[in-house]
Amino acid sequence: MKVTRLPDADPRPRRVAVGTFDGVHRGHREVILGADTVLTFEPHPLSVIAPMRAPLLLTTLERKAELVAGLGVDELVVVPFDATFAERSAQQFVDGILVDKLAATHVSVGENFRFGHGAEGDADRLAADPRFETRIAPLLEVDGEVVSSSHIRGLVLGGAVEYADELLGAPFTLTREVVHGDKRGRELGFPTANLLPAAGFVTPGHGVYACRATVASGQTYAAATNVGVRPMFETGRGELIEAYLLDFDDDIYDQPLRLEFLKRLRGEKRFDSVETLIEQIGRDVDEARAIAG
């Protein structure tokens, strides 16, 4: 899939799906269905328009591109969203971007899509434009709940990654560089790859998770992952993501590690002794192997 940043896109007939698409969840996939081009915005528009209301994001642009490519889309067009772009009226967006720049013949949006300065444009406004055909995708509901990025963010923050994965249509995933820790895991017999949460992005709620871990070589391993502050020890390091990769013992410091969160095994807790903690970690590892192995 080709990734293009405006204004570099060449005009050609396109079937364009338009949206922020954070998470590229199952509802987004209904919007993207049948499109050959996805138009999205980077950074998230609220981070420019109303920074105090900007959400923690589910996906980086790289992860979004990966998910979109998996849907068979030919091109991801990225709008660099800044204060100048935010001043465009709805009509300027349609004329300058959809028609002049992208030569859209078909435009697909969700029924709650808003665009243009002051969010003056909506799906009905697009449908009234005779220069392209508009498809308005209804909001998707699962078990009586509307599938939305905000709902999924809440699920991940609450540790409910299994349900979040169901609504996403893929595992919640984060990729971070492995950093040096205090080697506490190694002392316990479970050496971990340590990752720092990234500002502006969702991190699963504190607890222990079964994950699928992918190292830089592309090799995949089951992993038992702790997210939290390690209440058994005085570390002074704040929140940390610690992944114990099963059947793995290579040096991956300063390399990217990808974690797919599959199930929350338990909450983070303080144990009566280090021995009791080690016994519990052993049970966590066995469960993680059964789920992700």
Side-chain angles (χ1 to χ4, degrees), residues 150-207:
S150 58
H151 180 43
I152 295 170
R153 290 180 195 117
L155 291 172
V156 175
L157 288 168
V161 294
E162 279 186 284
Y163 190 37
D165 291 355
E166 180 183 344
L167 300 187
L168 285 167
F172 172 75
T173 300
L174 59 80
T175 301
R176 305 281 188 270
E177 186 175 282
V178 178
V179 300
H180 288 272
D182 55 17
K183 307 297 190 295
R184 182 77 64 181
R186 188 171 298 278
E187 293 174 6
L188 298 175
F190 299 95
T192 59
N194 301 309
L195 314 176
L196 296 176
F201 290 90
V202 172
T203 299
H206 292 184

Side-chain angles (χ1 to χ4, degrees), residues 2-288:
K2 181 180 181 182
V3 179
T4 306
R5 283 186 176 268
L6 286 181
D8 295 336
D10 296 322
R12 62 170 177 80
R14 286 178 168 90
R15 303 174 67 92
V16 184
V18 187
T20 304
F21 299 128
D22 182 35
V24 195
H25 59 58
R26 288 169 57 186
H28 294 150
R29 295 171 190 220
E30 293 295 317
V31 178
I32 295 170
L33 185 68
D36 58 51
T37 300
V38 166
L39 178 69
T40 194
F41 308 93
E42 176 73 14
H44 192 289
L46 277 179
S47 69
V48 175
I49 298 168
M52 295 299 291
R53 293 195 290 117
L56 297 173
L57 298 181
L58 294 163
T59 46
T60 62
L61 181 59
E62 292 74 19
R63 174 62 173 162
K64 185 187 296 186
E66 177 186 1
L67 291 167
V68 168
L71 302 177
V73 172
D74 296 331
E75 183 179 19
L76 179 67
V77 178
V78 181
V79 174
F81 198 95
D82 56 18
T84 300
F85 192 90
E87 291 297 319
R88 286 179 181 253
S89 68
Q91 197 61 49
Q92 287 173 323
F93 175 77
V94 173
D95 294 343
I97 304 300
L98 295 180
V99 175
D100 293 345
K101 200 63 189 172
L102 300 182
T105 59
H106 296 72
V107 175
S108 176
V109 295
E111 66 174 81
N112 61 346
F113 179 67
R114 308 288 302 199
F115 64 100
H117 182 66
E120 61 176 333
D122 59 14
D124 290 338
R125 182 164 185 161
L126 293 173
D129 197 305
R131 292 173 292 179
F132 46 78
E133 183 178 325
T134 299
R135 184 174 73 88
I136 303 173
L139 298 177
L140 178 67
E141 291 190 10
V142 173
D143 297 331
E145 291 272 4
V146 172
V147 179
S148 68
S149 298
S150 58
H151 180 43
I152 295 170
R153 290 180 195 117
L155 291 172
V156 175
L157 288 168
V161 294
E162 279 186 284
Y163 190 37
D165 291 355
E166 180 183 344
L167 300 187
L168 285 167
F172 172 75
T173 300
L174 59 80
T175 301
R176 305 281 188 270
E177 186 175 282
V178 178
V179 300
H180 288 272
D182 55 17
K183 307 297 190 295
R184 182 77 64 181
R186 188 171 298 278
E187 293 174 6
L188 298 175
F190 299 95
T192 59
N194 301 309
L195 314 176
L196 296 176
F201 290 90
V202 172
T203 299
H206 292 184
V208 178
Y209 297 84
C211 292
R212 186 178 298 114
T214 304
V215 298
S217 67
Q219 192 72 28
T220 299
Y221 300 87
T225 302
N226 184 80
V227 180
V229 294
R230 293 176 290 175
M232 283 290 291
F233 306 103
E234 294 293 335
T235 65
R237 293 180 61 89
E239 190 176 54
L240 195 63
I241 304 163
E242 302 170 287
Y244 173 63
L245 279 59
L246 281 63
D247 309 315
F248 179 83
D249 193 30
D250 289 345
D251 182 348
I252 53 172
Y253 289 119
D254 304 319
Q255 296 181 28
L257 179 67
R258 169 180 171 136
L259 294 176
E260 299 175 23
F261 286 77
L262 306 179
K263 182 179 180 179
R264 187 174 191 257
L265 304 180
R266 61 176 175 86
E268 188 179 45
K269 61 177 288 187
R270 177 183 291 274
F271 290 87
D272 294 333
S273 67
V274 172
E275 291 73 21
T276 306
L277 169 62
I278 291 172
E279 290 174 2
Q280 180 60 59
I281 294 174
R283 290 190 289 270
D284 296 336
V285 168
D286 290 342
E287 194 171 354

